[in-house]
């Protein structure tokens, strides 16, 4: 127990609440918005949010549902029509799925929290990437377990080192978190590594949390392979997926998990305790997204493909920056360690300088873990005009530093 005090009252707090961590993207966004309120112009490359609007046919489906009175409580795990549409969609990707195994949540984030709560006891260990989406670390700690990191390295295009992961497994390891395509590095896990990781999970009786929310954003030609398509993996994996990125629906809060049979009713129960249900009209929008035209998604992928090239070329042209064009997602993760070392500052100090002095909001690699030192993350889900201006300012900032 710890306690917080205001003027008169001391509230006793459970220790678990102190273990929750924040997300750098939201913190920097809040700082950037505060500067905007003071009249400063900010270029937003910090948040992982497509600049595209949700497609009109998706919006219309929600509006229609509202007019039809779909404004009541519904089933905790999601309406059957959406769970069926999700199961059909996943099956079309080679991931055999039944509606009973799908649980719909407000965004995909709750699936990460529920997975930690459902799978980890005090003192258990979960293997998570470093750098990685910070919520993995947060929910593992919140559940009383210990995050054990495995490093993603630029020298292997940020793909996991299977031998290093194997060497980190102990009698307490319960969970292996995989994210492909990866935030923040853009790394994609190839089929050979996925097969080896699946074997490792089987041999060590690990549950795999497979976060594939960036699946459509893949610039390598062949579709991103899911570990759930490998033999025996469906009943050992929790698939984390959603509508935020693929359908430009971040603010709608619509995501889902595909779960092993024994876990699905438990996740629905967690949903019932947590938020009761996702609004039915939001779920109707999800059905329209999956079953309607995929043209807006294809247009977005085409645009991001062009921006990826632009960002990688412009960053590579700055002395001291090392970057390979990312294989997936919509983030560039340049190595700026030569610049930070010469200037005697950290990546976080460099990011702060870019925001305060140049009006460019982006994230230090360390917002994603210790292995992110010497890196920055730039989201190219931002319009080309803003990207162009931001890259010019980044260039100006870096060349102004002592080299
Ligand atoms: C890797 C990863 N997983 C999950 C999420 C959660 O997204 P949402 O809750 O909007 O579905 C994000 C959001 O940035 C992400 O980057």
């Amino acid at each position: 127990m710890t306690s917080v005090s205001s003027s008169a009252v001391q509230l006793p707090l459970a220790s678990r609440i102190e273990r929750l961590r924040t997300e750098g993207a939201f913190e920097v966004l809040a700082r950037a918005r505060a500067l905007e309120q003071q009249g400063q112009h900010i270029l937003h490359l910090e948040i992982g949010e497509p600049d595209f609007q949700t497609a009109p046919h998706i919006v219309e489906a929600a509006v229609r549902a509202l007019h039809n009175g779909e404004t009541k409580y519904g089933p905790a795990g999601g309406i059957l029509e959406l769970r069926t549409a999700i199961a059909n969609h996943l099956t079309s990707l080679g991931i055999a799925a039944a509606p009973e195994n799908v649980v719909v949540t407000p965004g995909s984030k709750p699936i990460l929290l529920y997975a930690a709560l459902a799978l980890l006891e005090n003192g258990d260990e979960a293997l998570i990437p470093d750098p990685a989406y910070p919520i993995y670390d947060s929910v593992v700690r919140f559940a009383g377990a210990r995050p054990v990191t495995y490093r993603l390295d630029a020298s292997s295009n940020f793909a996991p080192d299977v031998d290093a992961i194997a060497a980190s497994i102990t009698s307490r390891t319960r969970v292996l978190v995989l994210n492909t395509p990866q935030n923040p590095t853009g790394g994609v896990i190839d089929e050979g590594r996925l097969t080896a990781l699946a074997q490792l999970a089987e041999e060590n009786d690990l549950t795999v949390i497979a976060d594939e929310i960036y699946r459509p954003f893949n610039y390598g030609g062949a579709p991103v392979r899911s570990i759930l398509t490998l033999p025996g993996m469906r009943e050992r994996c929790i698939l984390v997926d959603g509508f935020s990125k693929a359908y430009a629906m971040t603010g709608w809060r619509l995501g889902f998990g595909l779960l092993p049979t024994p876990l699905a009713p438990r996740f629905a129960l967690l949903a019932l305790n947590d938020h009761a249900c996702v609004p039915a009209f939001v779920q109707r929008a999800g059905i329209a997204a999956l079953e309607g035209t995929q043209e807006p998604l294809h247009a977005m992928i085409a645009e991001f493909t062009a921006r990826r090239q632009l960002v990688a070329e412009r960053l590579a042209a700055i002395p001291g920056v090392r970057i390979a064009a990312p294989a997936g997602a919509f983030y560039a993760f340049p190595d700026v360690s030569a610049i930070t070392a010469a200037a005697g500052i950290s990546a976080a100090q460099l990011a702060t300088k870019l925001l305060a002095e140049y009006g460019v909001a982006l994230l230090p690699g360390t917002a994603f873990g210790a292995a992110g030192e010497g890196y920055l993350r730039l989201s190219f889900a931002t319009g080309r005009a803003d990207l162009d201006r931001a890259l010019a300012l980044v260039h100006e900032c870096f060349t102004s530093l002592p080299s």
Side-chain angles (χ1 to χ4, degrees):
M1 279 287 174
T2 53
S3 59
V4 285
S5 60
S6 65
S7 50
V9 189
Q10 289 246 329
L11 292 178
L13 292 185
S15 60
R16 77 174 71 84
I17 204 70
E18 308 291 352
R19 299 197 296 264
L20 275 176
R21 298 286 195 270
T22 185
E23 195 179 331
F26 281 83
E27 284 196 333
V28 174
L29 180 65
R31 247 183 282 150
R33 293 262 187 259
L35 289 172
E36 280 172 331
Q37 285 197 332
Q38 292 165 22
Q40 207 172 316
H41 182 65
I42 304 292
L43 298 161
H44 290 278
L45 277 61
E46 74 278 46
I47 195 102
E49 176 161 77
D51 58 319
F52 284 65
Q53 289 297 321
T54 308
H57 70 280
I58 300 175
V59 175
E60 278 156 21
V63 172
R64 218 176 308 123
L66 278 167
H67 285 302
N68 288 343
E70 294 201 51
T71 54
K72 308 288 187 195
Y73 288 134
I79 59 174
L80 179 60
E81 295 93 320
L82 177 58
R83 289 187 290 112
T84 303
I86 291 168
N88 291 341
H89 167 68
L90 293 175
T91 303
S92 78
L93 299 173
I95 303 170
E100 306 80 75
N101 293 79
V102 175
V103 171
V104 176
T105 42
S108 62
K109 265 182 169 172
I111 299 295
L112 296 171
L113 177 63
Y114 300 169
L117 294 176
L119 298 172
L120 296 168
E121 299 279 12
N122 276 337
D124 281 346
E125 293 171 8
L127 289 159
I128 65 171
D130 182 9
Y133 183 52
I135 299 303
Y136 306 145
D137 176 275
S138 180
V139 296
V140 166
R141 288 181 197 276
F142 186 63
R146 197 164 80 85
V148 175
T149 56
Y150 62 88
R151 201 185 166 102
L152 299 178
D153 208 84
S155 62
S156 51
N157 294 323
F158 302 108
D161 176 340
V162 181
D163 293 335
I165 292 178
S168 303
I169 294 174
T170 72
S171 60
R172 296 306 304 261
T173 313
R174 298 283 174 268
V175 162
L176 169 62
V177 178
L178 301 177
N179 178 206
T180 181
Q182 213 247 352
N183 175 11
T185 65
V188 169
I189 310 179
D190 58 83
E191 190 172 345
R193 280 190 174 81
L194 278 183
T195 306
L197 290 165
Q199 195 182 336
L200 207 60
E202 204 125 58
E203 284 166 4
N204 294 280
D205 202 15
L206 307 181
T207 303
V208 177
I209 298 177
D211 184 342
E212 299 182 4
I213 191 150
Y214 294 99
R215 189 189 304 108
F217 303 100
N218 154 49
Y219 310 104
V224 171
R225 188 73 193 256
S226 170
I227 195 167
L228 281 89
T229 60
L230 300 177
M233 280 298 108
R234 257 288 286 106
E235 285 302 317
R236 185 170 283 291
C237 291
I238 293 174
L239 175 70
V240 180
D241 204 343
F243 296 78
S244 288
K245 318 286 176 178
Y247 296 103
M249 292 177 72
T250 47
W252 292 74
R253 307 314 298 135
L254 187 62
F256 59 90
L258 177 70
L259 302 149
T261 301
L263 279 181
R266 267 114 174 178
F267 274 49
L269 194 55
L270 279 161
L272 182 76
N273 278 265
D274 179 24
H275 55 270
C277 62
V278 173
F281 55 91
V282 171
Q283 297 189 61
R284 292 284 171 204
I287 297 171
L290 291 177
E291 296 185 344
T293 174
Q294 300 300 298
E295 203 35 57
L297 169 60
H298 296 145
M300 187 156 65
I301 293 169
E303 173 61 19
F304 287 0
T305 305
R307 288 183 197 170
R308 160 189 180 259
Q309 197 61 31
L310 171 94
V311 172
E313 280 171 13
R314 294 277 296 275
L315 286 170
I318 306 175
V321 176
R322 284 152 51 113
I323 169 115
F330 39 69
Y331 305 111
F333 199 63
D335 175 349
V336 295
S337 56
I339 292 167
T340 51
I345 57 174
S346 65
Q349 286 169 320
L350 184 56
T352 301
K353 183 178 178 67
L354 277 161
L355 178 60
E357 295 173 28
Y358 294 82
V360 177
L362 44 66
L363 299 180
T366 40
F368 303 90
E373 186 52 84
Y375 287 83
L376 295 175
R377 190 196 80 169
L378 293 76
S379 165
F380 53 85
T382 303
R384 274 202 229 190
D386 277 7
L387 268 182
D388 187 55
R389 183 88 196 105
L391 288 163
L393 289 166
V394 167
H395 198 135
E396 191 183 318
C397 169
F398 287 5
T399 43
S400 76
L401 291 167
S403 57

